[in-house]
Amino acid sequence: MNLPAQPLHLHPDRLLPAEASQRAIARRLYAQVAGLPIISPHGHTDPAWFDGNAAFANATELLLVPDHYVFRMLYSQGVDLDQLGIPRADGSRAAVNPRSAWRIFAEHFHVFRGTPSAMWLNHVFHEVFGLRVRLDGTTADHYYDRITAALETPAYRPRALFERFGIEVIATTESPLDPLTHHAAIRASGWPGRVITAYRPDPVIDPEHEQFPDALRQFGELTGENVYSWEGYLQAHRQRRAFFAAHGATSTDHGHPSALTANLSRDEARKLFTSVAMGRASAAEAELFRAQMLTEMAQMSLDDGLVMQLHPGCFRNHNQSLFARHGRDKGADMPIRTEYVHALKPLLGRCGNDPRFKLILFTLDESNYARELAPLAGHYPSLLLGPAWWFHDAPEGMWRFREQTLSSGGFYNTVGFNDDTRAFLSIPARHDVARRVDCAFLAKLVAEHRLDEDEAMEVATDLAYRLPKQAYRL
């Protein structure tokens, strides 16, 4: 016998302090920032959505297929990605009925209890689609039909949702080889929504990237530069960075295994690049080349004003059999211990004292917050701390980030919040969680008489809105 569906309810005080006096302060702070426009300066949504403005196909394609937070958890429970219709590395997909994939998701939704994914998804279900019963195996079809029917209406097209969510600006992330046709079309369309790009040069910087040899060849064809010479290769980067800036980019992004940087002489760099370009680089040479290129990118940022982001400390594609079958970004990127003080010294020695240069640092190694990252950002005028990232953008991770960085970094050497997501509809949910956690944290400082409430009000607004705009030069 099926039990009756349980109600879905979002408590207005979720994530606010349990203690009554702090909760009252947090409520007042949250009331001020809840409705602020969303600044989404770094993420991985598809610009084609906002260009074509086509309807999303169904609930599965919207909420399950693009979200590796979701399908990695299902995979951990023994659900094969082919059962969910997740694309394979060769572009093919298993012949799966999207409703069947959604049912699998619904039957497993209980495994997300207490996770940030459950918070984000329940926010989407309740606030965006008006659902009032919980998702489980008995309500799977109700959810699928309700969401899929809504997606067929104009109010749920990408541009309408962009406006409904109060997004002021959103940045996508593209390879240097991307022609940025969708960005050009969006700008030419007359639609006022601001969708910009970010320069992610990893495929033509990392000699160990599986696409590197072919990407380097295409890099040369696209730019007309001799990318097999050191000078031509650097000039190709300058050319593409200028192209990206012309299409709205204000930042670059670098997903290196470590934070290692180098400052080689021109002759040393030229010799190293020759080994890399010829495909003869050892693992140590590949790491040294990535290190040198971070410093070269920093120098270029001084020249063209693009803000630099570094996302190190991630063992990408840890599951090799899954990588071979489904490719990158399938939830198998794992945190690793990461060192910054020694690693960044060459780059900071060259560029770090120039306030025109901005480098936003992220980490998956939480042990680094108080030991290295906050002290570095609390000293160098070029450094800012990105928010808790990937596994740590849960409420607990956000709180730990604030606790461990405040004393030596303060609030104003951080960049507020960026959602870093491929799942478009999770963006307002993620920003709401961040705003609630920050208001709860600030309420504690007010209750302890470390801040006056008017100061906390200003900080809450800065974290939610002003700091990300300022940090990303938006």
Side-chain angles (χ1 to χ4, degrees), residues 393-408:
D393 59 0
E396 297 83 0
M398 293 175 177
W399 190 278
R400 288 192 295 269
F401 174 82
R402 291 286 175 219
E403 276 192 324
Q404 295 181 44
T405 62
L406 180 60
S407 62
S408 55

Side-chain angles (χ1 to χ4, degrees), residues 74-316:
L74 299 178
Y75 185 78
S76 79
Q77 295 292 309
V79 178
D80 190 88
L81 296 190
D82 275 340
Q83 292 178 264
L84 304 173
I86 305 303
R88 299 171 180 146
D90 62 4
S92 67
R93 297 173 70 165
V96 173
N97 184 316
R99 184 185 292 273
S100 299
W102 184 265
R103 286 173 177 163
I104 293 171
F105 170 43
E107 289 163 1
H108 287 82
F109 194 64
H110 64 281
V111 306
F112 293 93
R113 287 172 179 162
T115 69
S117 290
M119 280 191 304
W120 301 329
L121 286 163
N122 282 329
H123 183 282
V124 171
F125 298 152
H126 190 280
E127 298 296 294
V128 180
F129 293 104
L131 289 154
R132 294 296 182 266
V133 294
R134 295 182 200 166
L135 178 63
D136 58 28
T138 67
T139 61
D141 286 338
H142 169 65
Y143 263 70
Y144 186 89
D145 291 337
R146 177 76 168 265
I147 294 170
T148 301
L151 296 178
E152 295 173 356
T153 66
Y156 286 83
R157 295 289 177 93
R159 293 185 178 185
L161 289 171
F162 184 104
E163 293 164 0
R164 174 179 171 182
F165 295 159
I167 298 174
E168 184 173 311
V169 58
I170 191 169
T172 64
T173 308
E174 275 75 46
S175 154
L177 307 179
D178 195 296
L180 303 182
T181 52
H182 294 303
H183 288 276
I186 292 167
R187 296 179 73 180
S189 71
W191 177 57
R194 189 178 178 194
V195 182
I196 63 177
T197 184
Y199 187 70
R200 177 76 174 240
D202 296 2
V204 294
I205 278 182
D206 183 1
E208 295 180 315
H209 195 293
E210 73 278 4
Q211 298 172 4
F212 180 78
D214 191 51
L216 185 61
R217 176 187 57 78
Q218 293 181 59
F219 198 41
E221 292 173 354
L222 184 63
T223 60
E225 300 288 346
N226 177 13
V227 297
Y228 295 96
S229 75
W230 177 234
E231 289 76 13
Y233 173 75
L234 294 180
Q235 185 55 35
H237 277 290
R238 294 187 190 97
Q239 183 188 136
R240 293 305 289 170
R241 289 168 64 105
F243 179 76
F244 271 60
H247 285 75
T250 67
S251 67
T252 69
D253 185 38
H254 308 269
H256 290 210
S258 77
L260 187 68
T261 65
N263 192 16
L264 303 176
S265 69
R266 179 173 295 184
D267 287 343
E268 290 172 323
R270 187 183 292 116
K271 181 179 178 181
L272 176 62
F273 178 71
T274 298
S275 180
V276 165
M278 294 298 102
R280 299 195 301 261
S282 66
E285 288 174 321
E287 176 70 344
L288 181 59
F289 182 71
R290 289 189 293 262
Q292 180 63 25
M293 285 309 300
L294 285 179
T295 305
E296 298 293 344
M297 291 288 108
Q299 183 61 55
M300 290 183 196
S301 286
L302 264 177
D303 297 335
D304 62 24
L306 295 182
V307 176
M308 188 173 175
Q309 301 173 90
L310 179 59
H311 287 80
C314 187
F315 190 124
R316 296 186 184 272

Side-chain angles (χ1 to χ4, degrees), residues 24-69:
I25 299 167
R27 282 173 175 166
R28 293 193 291 272
L29 297 176
Y30 176 70
Q32 175 172 286
V33 301
L36 289 175
I38 287 174
I39 306 300
S40 182
H42 172 79
H44 304 279
T45 54
D46 188 344
W49 296 338
F50 309 109
D51 173 10
N53 200 34
F56 293 104
N58 52 61
T60 302
E61 292 298 315
L62 175 67
L63 296 171
L64 174 55
V65 171
D67 195 341
H68 59 190
Y69 282 81

